[in-house]
Amino acid sequence: MNLDLFSTTTDDGVIKTQIAEQAWHLADLVHAQDEQIKVLLREIIQQAPLRQMVTPGGQLMSVSMTSCGDFGWVSDQAGYRYQSLDPRSNLPWPNMPALFKTLAKEAAEKVGFENFEPDSCLINCYAIGTRLSLHQDKNEVDFSHPIVSVSLGLPATFLFGGLQRNAPQTRLALQHGDIVVWGGLSRLAYHGVLPLAAGEHGLFGQQRINLTFRKSH
Ligand code: SIN
Ligand code: FE2
């Protein structure tokens, strides 16, 4: 379903579109920080390389992932969970850069979620053709905190549904620099990403990177 989405411009010039109850799309929020983010990501990925994880059902996920922050999201045959150590190295995940935390906090604040303190940033890397099937983010301890999701690189189509898997979905085009924030009544909304269309992004090349900030504990 494509709702007629209504956009407004906030005091600081950000184009804000409400996509559901307590769920918003913020256009082009990353602005001038993208090159710095790329450098920081390279450092994180050197310490905790991107890897394809296996679902509890034994399927290899097509998106490559890693994390930074106090906790990282992991999946294997034992289940989905957050861990303070990277299972690949048994070392703590790389620190969450201050720039990342500030970006996530500011985005949350713009749509009314004050004092968001993410302790985990999941880094999803989509190659051409990869997708993320419909799911809920529900491995966190307390659902009163929002999810802040930053898009970098190639554009993607984001599906944002309801609290039931079969609820109608809104399709959103996510561009480099866009942020989606959802919480409150939409905190457990099903969401996913359609297969990434081929293309070449000036800074990130033939891929899309997504940063998902959560307060996991
Ligand atoms: C996710 O749901 O973890 C990622 C969403 C996205 O890549 O936009
Ligand atoms: Fe998710």
Side-chain angles (χ1 to χ4, degrees), residues 114-145:
E114 308 287 334
N115 307 316
F116 178 48
E117 291 289 341
D119 60 5
S120 177
C121 170
L122 174 66
I123 299 161
N124 292 312
C125 179
Y126 297 77
I128 310 291
T130 58
R131 62 193 283 270
L132 192 64
S133 52
L134 217 57
H135 66 278
Q136 296 169 294
D137 287 8
K138 58 177 184 188
N139 304 125
E140 300 72 29
V141 167
D142 177 353
F143 298 139
S144 69
H145 305 286

Side-chain angles (χ1 to χ4, degrees), residues 56-195:
Q59 282 201 320
L60 190 68
M61 297 180 74
S62 67
V63 178
S64 302
M65 300 175 176
T66 189
S67 286
C68 65
D70 292 341
F71 296 94
W73 184 85
V74 299
S75 174
D76 59 23
Q77 307 264 0
Y80 301 125
R81 62 196 179 277
Y82 285 92
Q83 279 193 187
S84 56
L85 300 181
D86 177 351
R88 208 173 169 275
S89 61
N90 264 328
L91 294 171
W93 297 97
N95 289 329
M96 188 186 302
L99 175 68
F100 284 24
K101 196 172 269 189
T102 304
L103 188 65
K105 282 174 72 76
E106 286 181 357
E109 219 169 280
K110 282 187 201 306
V111 295
F113 295 104
E114 308 287 334
N115 307 316
F116 178 48
E117 291 289 341
D119 60 5
S120 177
C121 170
L122 174 66
I123 299 161
N124 292 312
C125 179
Y126 297 77
I128 310 291
T130 58
R131 62 193 283 270
L132 192 64
S133 52
L134 217 57
H135 66 278
Q136 296 169 294
D137 287 8
K138 58 177 184 188
N139 304 125
E140 300 72 29
V141 167
D142 177 353
F143 298 139
S144 69
H145 305 286
I147 303 285
V148 175
S149 168
V150 178
S151 290
L152 299 165
L154 287 177
T157 303
F158 188 59
L159 302 176
F160 196 83
L163 302 180
Q164 310 291 332
R165 185 178 282 279
N166 59 2
Q169 294 153 12
T170 300
R171 283 181 176 218
L172 273 185
L174 297 183
Q175 308 289 339
H176 172 75
D178 291 358
I179 299 188
V180 182
V181 183
W182 64 95
L185 296 169
S186 284
R187 175 60 180 73
L188 291 174
Y190 276 89
H191 58 281
V193 179
L194 291 185

